Amino acid sequence: RKGCDMSICGQPKRIIEYGHHVIIYEGYNKTVSAHMKEGGIYHNQYGHFLHEDFVGKEYGQKINSMKGGRNWVIPMAPTPELWTKSLKQRTQILYQPDISLVLSFLSLKPGSVVLEAGTGSGSLSTSIARTIAPHGHLHTFEFNEQRQKSAALEFKQNGMESLITCRHRNIVEKGFPLVDGGVDAVFLDLPNPWEVIDSASINLKSQGKICSFSPCIEQVQATCE
């Protein structure tokens, strides 16, 4: 699976290396992420942890704070579920109960091609990537340029650049670009999804599906009409 970190898309890696995105367990219901780099230091309320003390260790092994400290953390291999819990929330995100329904209702499977409007923090995007791996592709669009750049960087750090293309584009104003061969599914997380239904439909294959995630019934009614 070229370009796909196995810990995200399938079988977890066992040994931590520089360049890995690691999920760090600090305690009950408290996880954060850290990108391992030479000379890096991870700080939390329990102390300072050198990245070099993580590298070469197995995932799941306790890492003690520097200078012989008694405090410890546990590095875990990233999965979409753990990533959702530990990512930096730039927007409101979808969590696993909703994500599982979206993936199921869209009938996603390995090899599926998907359009997404509203990348946000990349929580759903990461779960989609694992579902469609190793030969599928997600084209995801975010209207906020800074959020798009942050999400694209995290996708790359998590080894998903072969599965996800993340672009800066206002889908409401410009619509979806045409995708060669069409797409199997479209996911919309927009305040006014009814304005892009026509653009999405043009890209859909004959048996393709559209899912729109909206918090208000008025949005749902407008989209269905």
Side-chain angles (χ1 to χ4, degrees), residues 117 141-144 167-176 190 192 195-196:
F141 302 88
E142 171 61 46
F143 84 95
N144 181 287
R167 304 176 193 170
H168 172 232
R169 185 181 178 98
N170 189 324
I171 297 300
V172 174
E173 292 183 357
K174 298 181 179 180
F176 286 106
L190 302 168
N192 45 348
E195 295 189 18
V196 301

Side-chain angles (χ1 to χ4, degrees), residues 141-152:
F141 302 88
E142 171 61 46
F143 84 95
N144 181 287
E145 187 173 8
Q146 185 56 53
R147 288 202 295 262
Q148 179 270 328
K149 289 181 178 179
S150 297

Side-chain angles (χ1 to χ4, degrees), residues 22-26 30-34 42 44 85-87:
V22 176
I23 306 299
I24 298 177
Y25 173 85
E26 295 184 345
K30 179 65 184 296
T31 57
V32 296
S33 65
Y42 168 69
N44 65 13
K85 289 184 177 181
S86 61
L87 58 75

Side-chain angles (χ1 to χ4, degrees), residues 4-12 78-80 83 126 129-130 158-160:
C4 176
D5 189 322
M6 294 295 284
S7 59
I8 283 285
C9 302
Q11 182 180 354
T79 65
W83 181 247
T126 301
R130 179 180 63 181
N158 279 326
M160 297 184 292

Side-chain angles (χ1 to χ4, degrees), residues 24-75:
I24 298 177
Y25 173 85
E26 295 184 345
Y28 177 72
N29 208 29
K30 179 65 184 296
T31 57
V32 296
S33 65
H35 189 66
M36 296 292 106
K37 57 185 179 181
E38 294 188 29
I41 301 177
Y42 168 69
H43 307 269
N44 65 13
Q45 60 183 325
Y46 305 112
H48 307 297
F49 300 81
L50 299 175
H51 288 196
E52 64 185 49
D53 290 336
F54 288 80
V55 173
K57 303 294 197 308
E58 289 191 2
Y59 283 101
Q61 181 177 341
K62 285 184 179 180
I63 306 296
N64 291 317
S65 56
M66 59 189 302
K67 296 183 179 179
R70 296 182 178 180
N71 295 317
W72 51 266
V73 295
I74 297 178

Side-chain angles (χ1 to χ4, degrees), residues 106 108 112-116 128 132 137-140 183-187:
L106 286 178
L108 299 186
S112 294
V113 180
V114 185
L115 288 175
E116 178 187 27
I128 290 176
I132 64 177
H137 202 81
L138 170 65
H139 301 270
T140 183
V183 302
D184 301 288
V186 178
F187 178 77

